[in-house]
Amino acid sequence: GTEAIPSDSDISHSGELGLDVQAQSFGENIYAVNTSASTVTKWIVNKTTLEPNVAGVISFASSGITTGRTLTFATETQAYLADLVEGSILEFNPETMEIIKVHDVDQAVPGGTDGFITYMWQGFLLNNGKVGWHLNHVADAECCTNPIPDQVPALGIFDPATGQISYKYDDRLPYGGFARVQSDGNVYLSPNSYMAMNDYYF
């Protein structure tokens, strides 16, 4: 790393990942999800030269997953990429970059999403080993119409031990999108996707 961020950034050594690529770090590595190419790429950064090198790539093209924002790491050898609208969860080993299994699970909205869009974001771990994802539903229509059904799930909770998912309903959270896990293990969900700062101010 660097002790201070320079006032003038040198981007001559930067790499272009492409459009709609979600990158996040886990441990000492960087993982980039490219939804256009349906790939997850693992990058190792040289600690001396800061040079990034590709250490592995997996393809999720046959999984049915269409989102890249849900990547969640459980352990050094367990990570998940989920698309609960499609009913698919990709489980892979981030250490070896091998796919463990593609879990076919119940869809979050079995009747389809006509008139509204369902978004998902990075998941979170529960202290019982389960993984959760917050679902955010927004109208895909002109102003002032609300086609979102009353019964749409706010949470999807996946149990890796059984490969099953359960959905939780809460009409206070239709526009959520951010989860905050506290040091005591409690998870707080915001009722507004643009209120991620609530953890710091409230």
Side-chain angles (χ1 to χ4, degrees):
T2 180
E3 293 182 3
I5 298 175
S7 56
D8 295 321
S9 299
D10 178 9
I11 63 170
S12 61
H13 300 291
S14 300
E16 186 175 341
L17 297 178
L19 295 174
D20 199 23
V21 175
Q22 312 299 320
Q24 68 186 78
S25 62
F26 177 70
E28 297 184 348
N29 304 314
I30 298 168
Y31 296 82
V33 183
N34 185 326
T35 51
S36 297
S38 298
T39 58
V40 180
T41 303
K42 176 182 179 179
W43 297 78
I44 292 179
V45 179
N46 185 295
K47 292 182 181 179
T48 304
T49 65
L50 300 183
E51 182 80 19
N53 293 292
V54 174
V57 180
I58 59 173
S59 170
F60 57 89
S62 61
S63 68
I65 293 172
T66 60
T67 179
R69 300 176 185 271
T70 64
L71 183 57
T72 304
F73 296 92
T75 68
E76 297 288 338
T77 58
Q78 263 185 314
Y80 301 92
L81 186 66
D83 189 334
L84 300 184
V85 176
E86 296 296 327
S88 185
I89 298 175
L90 175 79
E91 180 179 355
F92 72 97
N93 184 328
E95 190 175 80
T96 63
M97 290 302 285
E98 295 175 323
I99 293 176
I100 297 171
K101 186 175 183 179
V102 177
H103 300 271
D104 293 320
V105 297
D106 292 338
Q107 292 175 288
V109 189
T113 56
D114 287 344
F116 66 98
I117 303 170
T118 299
Y119 293 103
M120 292 177 59
W121 308 99
Q122 183 179 359
F124 50 88
L125 304 179
L126 300 174
N127 55 15
N128 58 6
K130 297 178 182 179
V131 186
W133 285 277
H134 195 180
L135 294 125
N136 175 11
H137 309 281
V138 295
D140 181 25
E142 295 180 6
C143 170
C144 312
T145 61
N146 185 16
I148 302 172
D150 290 335
Q151 285 296 308
V152 289
L155 286 172
I157 306 295
F158 176 67
D159 185 348
T162 64
Q164 300 296 312
I165 195 158
S166 60
Y167 291 105
K168 310 298 179 185
Y169 298 84
D170 191 327
D171 58 11
R172 297 170 299 175
L173 295 168
Y175 306 107
F178 289 95
R180 181 70 180 172
V181 182
Q182 303 292 78
S183 58
D184 60 6
N186 286 321
V187 179
Y188 293 88
L189 301 175
S190 168
N192 188 310
S193 59
Y194 297 101
M195 291 296 290
M197 71 286 288
N198 64 4
D199 178 60
Y200 303 102
Y201 296 106
F202 303 105

